[in-house]
Amino acid sequence: MKYRQSYWEAELYNQTYDLIVVGAGLTGQSTAHFYKKEYPNTQVLVVDRGVFPIGASTRNAGFACIGTVGEHLADLEIDSEAKLKERIKDRFEGLQLLKSTLGEKAIDYQETGGWELVLDKKIFEKLSRHIHRFNGWMEELIGEKDLYEAGSYNGIPSIYNRCEGMLHPGKMIKRLYQLNRDLGIEYRWNTQISSIEPESGILVIDELLSYEAENLVIATNAFTNQLLPDKSITPGRGYIFVTNELESLEWRGTFHYNKGYVYFRNLGEKRLLIGGGRDIDPKGEETDEFGVNGDVKGFLLYFAEEVLGLPDGWKVEQEWSGIMGFTESKSPVFEKINENCLVVAGLSGMGVALGMQLGKKAASEV
Ligand SMILES: Cc1cc2nc3c(=O)[nH]c(=O)nc-3n(C[C@H](O)[C@H](O)[C@H](O)COP(=O)(O)OP(=O)(O)OC[C@H]3O[C@@H](n4cnc5c(N)ncnc54)[C@H](O)[C@@H]3O)c2cc1C
């Protein structure tokens, strides 16, 4: 429905904001949060195309994690050691900031520890040989001694990381939204930005409606190329399902398998959440459309049944997808287009840990 604004609406809504953030995921809402805290007398607006954020922030697995040995080794094949170390530190500090800003209780944070399961004996030996090296990194980066430890979980060789945990992504976003509303930040839901004019600080919705700001932050993660086609962020769909209540659940904590491509955790006392498997059909999952890929789902069903040995009577009770934004090296894009417009996107599947920290950094740079 297109309409012209009335005199009254124009007078009310056509102000020039100090800051407009596009994208109400964790990154965008955190940007608005820290900006408004720093400059309480400014007008700050967050816009999102959804009735609530519809990307990754409320559709993820809720792992508060800093990376497994297998993930670090895979990352070293596409990024430098210096960059990877910087990212690990950012993930750790991002999680501390998230917990202190929102409160652990409000987001159901639990420090359960995390296990990387390794089914192949040779791969387990290889990963175990690197534990000493990555423990050295962790001591240097986050001050934790002997973080990784080889062992087994339910008879499967595993590497344990005691500093990982889980949270409730819906509660995380709800809490941040409440804090932002209390700070006086404005929101426009159901507002798809169709193009931006970074030079003049204008966000175009349609031919009759636009918003204007002194500063713009684009926090649209996987969908950034729709607004800024040269940013080379590749979308990657992630699939998750949750089981019914099980008679017995023998998996408690957070778990990764195959460089982090598969992940699962307990959800309360009786349910299991399991997700991932993008590597089963990498091209098919390189999409910004929500949906379920039968091959990915088939693999995760097999994994749950045959590897995790879920008890008789288990079934999928709920399933969904979310869209991640990947950069080639997995390091996020954090870039000023000009003095007044900044892009922060491409959190490459690590945004629960990185999102708030990056938002805070964006707020300090616009
Ligand atoms: C299935 C899945 C599991 C994951 N599991 C984990 C995990 O366990 N731990 C972890 O650390 N990370 C995980 N992630 C990644 C993490 O969720 C993301 O990195 C993080 O949420 C990114 O936050 P964001 O705010 O940058 O982006 P998003 O949350 O994607 O927010 C972008 C927002 O921009 C809006 N938008 C886009 N285009 C426009 C437009 N043109 N106009 C207006 N609004 C627009 C969208 O509606 C969306 O709300 C997972 C992701 C998925 C999909």
Side-chain angles (χ1 to χ4, degrees):
M1 181 179 57
K2 302 227 166 97
Y3 48 84
R4 282 182 193 285
Q5 282 185 316
S6 73
Y7 173 89
W8 321 111
E9 287 165 344
E11 194 161 281
L12 266 183
Y13 302 130
N14 289 0
Q15 57 178 306
T16 302
Y17 287 88
D18 295 289
L19 170 68
I20 300 183
V21 181
V22 186
L26 180 62
T27 310
Q29 292 204 54
S30 299
T31 306
H33 180 81
F34 289 103
Y35 186 89
K36 184 74 175 167
K37 258 185 160 170
E38 182 71 25
Y39 310 108
N41 296 325
T42 54
Q43 300 296 315
V44 179
L45 175 68
V46 179
V47 295
D48 199 286
R49 61 187 184 153
V51 284
F52 41 75
I54 41 165
S57 294
T58 50
R59 313 184 72 78
N60 62 61
F63 282 46
C65 57
I66 53 175
T68 63
V69 170
E71 186 186 339
H72 297 325
L73 281 178
D75 284 353
L76 278 174
E77 287 174 20
I78 53 170
D79 213 353
S80 68
E81 181 172 316
K83 276 273 174 205
L84 179 54
K85 281 183 167 177
E86 190 183 315
R87 225 162 51 217
I88 293 170
K89 197 162 188 293
D90 285 348
R91 284 170 83 170
F92 182 76
E93 288 174 359
L95 287 168
Q96 309 311 310
L97 181 68
L98 185 76
K99 290 185 281 180
S100 62
T101 307
L102 303 181
E104 293 188 12
K105 208 160 168 243
I107 59 175
D108 284 357
Y109 178 77
Q110 299 167 61
E111 191 139 306
T112 52
W115 287 262
E116 176 176 26
L117 303 189
V118 193
L119 298 174
D120 183 294
K121 196 166 169 263
K122 280 214 168 86
I123 297 179
F124 183 67
E125 282 165 6
K126 179 181 158 193
L127 297 187
S128 298
R129 281 198 299 275
H130 285 273
I131 287 180
H132 181 68
R133 175 187 183 195
F134 291 121
N135 274 347
W137 283 26
M138 291 301 174
E139 196 172 344
E140 168 199 334
L141 297 171
I142 65 171
E144 289 289 339
K145 223 170 150 47
D146 298 330
L147 187 77
Y148 297 108
E149 198 184 322
S152 74
Y153 195 106
N154 282 345
I156 299 180
S158 307
I159 298 174
Y160 179 58
N161 172 350
R162 66 173 184 277
C163 276
E164 299 207 326
M166 57 170 85
L167 51 78
H168 186 310
K171 290 187 180 179
M172 170 183 82
I173 288 296
K174 186 174 175 211
R175 176 77 183 135
L176 182 54
Y177 176 66
Q178 277 169 345
L179 292 177
N180 283 356
R181 297 293 292 146
D182 291 347
L183 286 171
I185 293 169
E186 285 182 47
Y187 279 79
R188 298 271 191 283
W189 299 106
N190 254 331
T191 303
Q192 169 111 24
I193 301 301
S194 59
S195 65
I196 61 170
E197 296 168 14
E199 293 310 324
S200 48
I202 288 181
L203 296 166
V204 179
I205 295 152
D206 56 41
E207 67 267 29
L208 296 178
L209 207 58
S210 60
Y211 291 130
E212 195 175 336
E214 298 288 341
N215 297 292
L216 296 177
V217 171
I218 313 303
T220 44
N221 202 31
F223 311 95
T224 303
N225 285 25
Q226 294 170 8
L227 293 172
L228 300 163
D230 66 325
K231 287 295 161 261
S232 54
I233 292 169
T234 309
R237 183 167 59 192
Y239 168 71
I240 289 181
F241 70 70
V242 171
T243 67
N244 56 331
E245 290 197 344
L246 306 172
E247 295 248 310
S248 61
L249 178 60
E250 307 203 333
W251 301 94
R252 290 179 188 277
T254 62
F255 299 85
H256 285 101
Y257 167 68
N258 186 20
K259 305 170 206 162
Y261 276 115
V262 174
Y263 42 86
F264 59 98
R265 55 171 275 191
N266 64 299
L267 194 54
E269 291 299 306
K270 295 189 167 170
R271 292 178 206 275
L272 191 81
L273 174 154
I274 172 165
R278 246 179 343 108
D279 58 318
I280 296 295
D281 183 6
K283 272 285 150 212
E285 292 302 88
E286 202 179 292
T287 172
D288 59 13
E289 299 284 325
F290 295 95
V292 176
N293 179 325
D295 291 342
V296 171
K297 179 174 176 176
F299 171 72
L300 291 179
L301 290 174
Y302 163 84
F303 187 85
E305 181 80 28
E306 301 298 329
V307 179
L308 306 185
L310 295 191
D312 287 347
W314 83 272
K315 59 181 185 194
V316 173
E317 203 165 83
Q318 205 169 340
E319 59 182 349
W320 67 88
S321 67
I323 314 292
M324 292 168 274
F326 289 93
T327 63
E328 213 169 308
S329 67
K330 283 176 73 183
S331 284
V333 171
F334 187 91
E335 193 182 312
K336 272 193 154 182
I337 295 182
N338 59 36
E339 260 315 292
N340 315 316
C341 182
L342 191 147
V343 187
V344 51
L347 280 73
S348 304
M350 299 170 285
V352 171
L354 290 174
M356 181 166 274
Q357 174 95 325
L358 279 173
K360 188 175 184 189
K361 192 171 160 204
S364 71
E365 299 221 1
V366 287

